[in-house]
Amino acid sequence: MLERLNDLPGDKILALMEMYREDPRDQKIDLGVGVYKNPEGVTPIMRAIKTAEKQLWEQETTKAYTGLAGDPAFADAMIGLVLGDAVARDQVAAVATPGGTGAVRQAFELAHMANPDVRVFVSAPTWPNHVSILKYLKLPVVEYRYFDSESGSVDVNGMLEDLAQAKPGDLVLLHGCCHNPTGANLTMTDWKAVVDVLKKTGATPMVDIAYQGFGDGLDADAAGVRMVASELPELLIAASCSKNFGVYRERTGLLMAVSQDSARQKTHQGNLAYLNRQNYSFPPDHGARLVTMVLNDPELRADWMAELEDVRLNMLSLREQLAQELQRLSGSDRFGFVAQHRGMFSRLGLSPETVDCLREEHGVYMVGDSRINIAGLNKNTVPLLAKAIIEVGA
Ligand code: LMR
């Protein structure tokens, strides 16, 4: 039977990681996969996580199963972090998942369970794995306009026009903040306009929030999703702890189903737990437990917030340095959007040939659509990248 399997094209982001690893040049620069690196090029374990890990080692007395939804304390803490007081706790059903990707996958499956004819609206472009998972699940994908590559900003009118085509029973996937791959984000005025269109269509929104705290701050980055939660009848949220807690390999995420009608919560909770049981039974616990400890201990939480803020400010400063250097070398504001974008990524708007040339001739690794991971830079490599971009005639 297995001889019937065919070779599959590899995930582009992961393939790039591999190519970078194999490149023997010293001068290479990795701007590929979305992993934070400090100015020394290291992806650190955050201080508060390390402390929590020590405490956990001392205090943990069992590795027996938690529950299908994971530890309820994790859900409570994360619901507070993402939703603040936008909705009451009894309006939210939630399960822990293996990372944000696990939550995304479960959200799509839940939507499909609720409506076998669901169509999923995604931004053009979106994180390639969104589309890959949807194709794998055989769910129809409808793209809505999002990024205007001329200006490097959001095409809000195009987006609203396309979203108006959604119907009740459709799922509309939005990025909570720090849009991946473009870095171009909705303003609060744009979020309001999106909410109004969605209200008219009756479609169900889903927010993927994987970079809370990397853009404008923990609360500012969640303001959009909180508005959707408080104004629309229902909402799915896939939240990741990989980046903002730096627990990538622990696979820590939460899927939330929010409803204005708290009488629905029990049914939603049951469906989410059922999905966990079918797919992997109990979700991973270690990362979730560390995150819960950090969020619930005032000292650890304050330390985590301070470190996260340093991470955010480091990326903002790299954005400004790169935009300035490109301005200086090119004599134009063409790349000014890099300083306006938020989060880890910016899409530079370079052709695939230019991206290849940057990799082959300058050892600069970025995703084929010219997405760069800002955190892959430091103050020494910013000028090298800017020079390479100008040299290849971008
Ligand atoms: C990315 O977009 O680089 C990250 O979300 C990591 C991944 O799994 O692709």
Side-chain angles (χ1 to χ4, degrees), residues 2 4 9 22 24 28 41-42 97 129 172 217 236 327 356 359:
L2 298 183
R4 291 191 223 158
E22 282 166 12
K28 58 185 179 175
V42 175
T97 54
N129 209 27
V172 173
L236 297 179
Q327 209 278 341
D356 287 346
R359 189 180 60 252

Side-chain angles (χ1 to χ4, degrees), residues 11 13-14 32-35 101 127-129 180 211 243 345 371:
D11 179 286
I13 298 174
L14 304 186
V33 70
V35 170
T101 309
W127 182 46
N129 209 27
N180 180 4
Y211 299 90
K243 280 90 180 177
F345 306 117
R371 182 192 87 169

Side-chain angles (χ1 to χ4, degrees), residues 48-60:
I49 289 289
K50 198 73 184 159
T51 308
E53 218 154 28
K54 241 186 230 164
Q55 290 177 3
L56 184 60
W57 184 80
E58 279 160 10
Q59 293 162 9
E60 195 173 47

Side-chain angles (χ1 to χ4, degrees), residues 118-132:
V118 64
R119 300 182 301 166
V120 183
F121 282 59
V122 301
S123 60
T126 190
W127 182 46
N129 209 27
H130 284 147
V131 179
S132 181

